[in-house]
Amino acid sequence: MTTYYTSDQHFGHLNIIRFCDRPFPGVPAMNARLVQLWNDTVTDDDTVWVLGDVALGALGESLAGIGRLAGRKILVPGNHDRCWEGDRALRKGDPEARERRRTAARQRYLAAGFAEINDRPGPVSVGGQRAALSHFPFEGDSHGADRFVEYRPVDDGGWVVHGHVHDTWRQRGRQINVGVDAWGGRPVAAETIERLIADGPRDLAPLGWV
């Protein structure tokens, strides 16, 4: 049994192909390749932490592939996930209305195939080092100025395993980006994260798609 980390699949999102220069002619080809690369890497005995932005567009279509992905899947929502705690739609109205919308949104992701949704997971130990799990890095963005600062983990001297920045970096200092655009489309094994941490803070460029 192996633990994996990944993020930013953007199932169903046409513009991400252009934005991140993904090598696909359209959404169907991209979705199919993401599923293939995942299942070539992960088995049903494994656990996969998906650190946000799993799907965009019409959720009925873009979430359809989740059930085809191997392993036990845990979602840490990102800013493009409809069940994200910071989503504007979930913060409107009275408390009861907000809770109903939040429950309904989360249920869609659970029904699609996620075993669990964890908004703010506690730190994990990776290779004997403390690491936060978050959609967001401590600092840095793929759109210039840092966004969603209030939802980012606090840099307390440990590491962060994150997504959000797409192909901006694979590692920057103590920040390890597990987004598919930095790792050739595949989830990243915990053992790989351990080796990066053991080698210490540094900067690494993204790997190409395979």
Side-chain angles (χ1 to χ4, degrees), residues 15-28:
N15 286 340
I16 198 66
I17 297 174
R18 174 179 54 83
F19 177 68
C20 289
D21 197 25
R22 293 186 179 183
F24 305 108
V27 165

Side-chain angles (χ1 to χ4, degrees), residues 37-165:
L37 289 170
W38 178 302
N39 289 339
D40 284 349
T41 306
V42 177
T43 74
D44 282 334
D45 293 327
D46 299 328
T47 295
V48 185
W49 286 84
V50 181
L51 303 184
D53 288 7
V54 66
L56 274 79
L59 288 189
E61 299 175 5
S62 56
L63 287 179
I66 303 302
R68 296 165 53 199
L69 301 173
R72 182 177 186 270
K73 299 170 285 292
I74 303 172
L75 177 64
V76 178
N79 56 288
H80 285 299
D81 295 311
R82 309 284 176 82
C83 59
W84 178 50
E85 61 179 332
D87 190 275
R88 292 180 182 177
L90 301 185
R91 292 184 288 157
K92 294 180 180 179
D94 60 72
E96 287 189 7
R98 292 199 300 269
E99 186 58 30
R100 286 196 301 270
R101 283 195 296 270
R102 180 176 172 80
T103 299
R106 293 168 74 88
Q107 186 55 43
R108 294 191 73 176
Y109 286 80
L110 293 170
F114 283 102
E116 182 182 339
I117 298 172
N118 195 327
D119 293 299
R120 294 178 182 248
V124 297
S125 177
V126 183
Q129 295 284 334
R130 184 179 70 259
L133 300 181
S134 173
H135 176 64
F136 303 103
F138 296 136
E139 57 83 23
D141 209 295
S142 57
H143 285 73
D146 288 3
R147 297 169 295 160
F148 314 112
V149 174
E150 66 270 33
Y151 297 101
R152 292 176 181 247
V154 175
D155 184 354
D156 61 359
W159 292 72
V160 62
V161 179
H162 66 89
H164 187 63
V165 299

Side-chain angles (χ1 to χ4, degrees), residues 11-14 17 24-36 61 68:
F11 281 111
H13 187 200
L14 178 61
I17 297 174
F24 305 108
V27 165
M30 177 182 72
N31 288 353
R33 185 60 172 156
L34 285 167
V35 171
Q36 180 184 27
E61 299 175 5
R68 296 165 53 199

Side-chain angles (χ1 to χ4, degrees), residues 51 159-163 169-179 183 188 192-194 196-197:
L51 303 184
W159 292 72
V160 62
V161 179
H162 66 89
W169 70 74
R170 182 162 44 111
Q171 180 177 342
R172 177 178 287 180
R174 289 176 286 104
Q175 304 181 130
I176 299 174
N177 170 29
V178 294
W183 290 91
V188 186
T192 300
I193 304 297
E194 289 178 10
L196 293 176
I197 290 176

